[in-house]
Amino acid sequence: MSTPHISANVGDFAETVLMPGDPLRAQYIAENFLDDAVQVTGVRNMYGFTGTYKGKPVSIMGSGMGIPSMSIYARELIVSFGVKNIIRIGTCGGIGTDIKIRDVIFAQGASTDSNVNRARVRGYDFSAIANFDLLLNGVNAAKELGIKAKVGNVFTTDTFYQADDTFYKDLDKLGVLAVDMETAGLYGVAAEYGANAMALFTVSDHVITGEATPADERQSTFNEMVKIALESI
Ligand code: ADE
């Protein structure tokens, strides 16, 4: 059974799907972390794989960038392929003064400049939050791996290139840790269709200091985050 954006059969996806933004990262995870991984979809090169990690079935699929792309794939995975848990593994821009590049951040909640979640509640505010058990398991997995992680509110923006960067300073004052482009959409879709979702990131750049992770270090910090996500399942 295929959907407009996923060409796969019911049963091809595990109950838990890890979603990096980049489909080639999905392929990298499948090849380097999973056993017996097979590709289950590849429409528009948005690759999805299913295999096992320490004997447990798990799938990995790219989400693309931004709320619309993430929302399409998350909805189809949940509604048409029976996926129960989606864990976003991505990068974010640090906002807080105590946030450093390479830090690991868990999105307990996701504020947004997008209208998608307000549209879900007749124009009112909707608190887009992580599933508590997924969050707790993730935080515990990070602890067990000896990786310090921060947990809090993030801001999901539709606008990577902000016209007015003083906005980030306002978010900092409100205790927002970081900015990404997908999490509020994922949390809204999971709430709407009755699934569980959680997002964790590594800080690839800092939107106030301008610092960025050197390209050669990105892979190792990414690997740490993948380890946390897989161990948390
Ligand atoms: N993801 C990583 N860095 C980001 C940034 N600066 N803004 C939005 N999303 C991001």
Side-chain angles (χ1 to χ4, degrees):
M1 199 219 97
S2 288
T3 60
H5 307 94
I6 299 174
S7 174
N9 295 309
V10 172
D12 279 353
F13 286 93
E15 280 198 350
T16 299
V17 181
L18 267 51
M19 299 190 80
D22 180 350
L24 291 181
R25 289 226 146 146
Q27 183 173 24
Y28 170 86
I29 297 166
E31 286 171 357
N32 292 282
F33 288 86
L34 299 192
D35 294 318
D36 307 319
V38 290
Q39 186 179 328
V40 292
T41 184
V43 179
R44 291 172 179 249
N45 293 329
M46 194 57 79
Y47 305 123
F49 303 85
T50 296
T52 60
Y53 180 76
K54 297 192 174 170
K56 287 189 188 163
V58 60
S59 297
I60 323 276
M61 183 171 170
S63 69
M65 285 188 288
I67 286 179
S69 182
M70 166 59 95
S71 300
I72 286 169
Y73 294 114
R75 190 224 188 251
E76 291 182 12
L77 286 171
I78 295 164
V79 173
S80 301
F81 296 97
V83 168
K84 302 271 183 278
N85 308 302
I86 296 181
I87 301 175
R88 162 163 157 70
I89 43 175
T91 57
C92 65
I95 290 178
T97 38
D98 59 341
I99 302 295
K100 307 275 174 282
I101 56 168
R102 303 181 203 85
D103 278 357
V104 174
I105 292 178
F106 286 87
Q108 183 180 12
S111 307
T112 186
D113 52 17
S114 158
N115 205 42
V116 288
N117 287 334
R118 285 195 171 171
R120 292 188 161 98
V121 288
R122 302 183 184 189
Y124 297 114
D125 280 352
F126 174 77
S127 294
I129 56 170
N131 172 266
F132 184 75
D133 290 326
L134 291 185
L135 182 64
L136 189 63
N137 291 344
V139 171
N140 284 340
K143 252 187 212 156
E144 273 161 34
L145 290 164
I147 297 164
K148 275 203 185 124
K150 297 194 167 72
V151 184
N153 201 357
V154 304
F155 190 88
T156 299
T157 185
D158 281 344
T159 316
F160 182 88
Y161 298 104
Q162 296 279 343
D164 172 13
D165 66 3
T166 60
F167 179 53
Y168 290 131
K169 293 193 173 138
D170 293 343
L171 290 177
D172 184 18
K173 284 187 200 140
L174 292 167
V176 175
L177 303 177
V179 57
D180 89 323
M181 299 190 73
E182 293 80 20
T183 301
L186 170 62
Y187 287 1
V189 168
E192 183 171 352
Y193 298 104
N196 308 313
M198 190 270 286
L200 69 154
F201 326 95
T202 54
V203 178
S204 59
D205 54 294
H206 197 289
V207 294
I208 293 176
T209 66
E211 211 184 342
T213 312
D216 58 336
E217 286 181 31
R218 287 201 182 161
Q219 200 60 55
S220 61
T221 50
F222 179 75
N223 286 354
E224 270 196 347
M225 175 177 52
V226 172
K227 213 68 213 281
I228 294 171
L230 287 169
E231 287 291 327
S232 79
I233 298 172

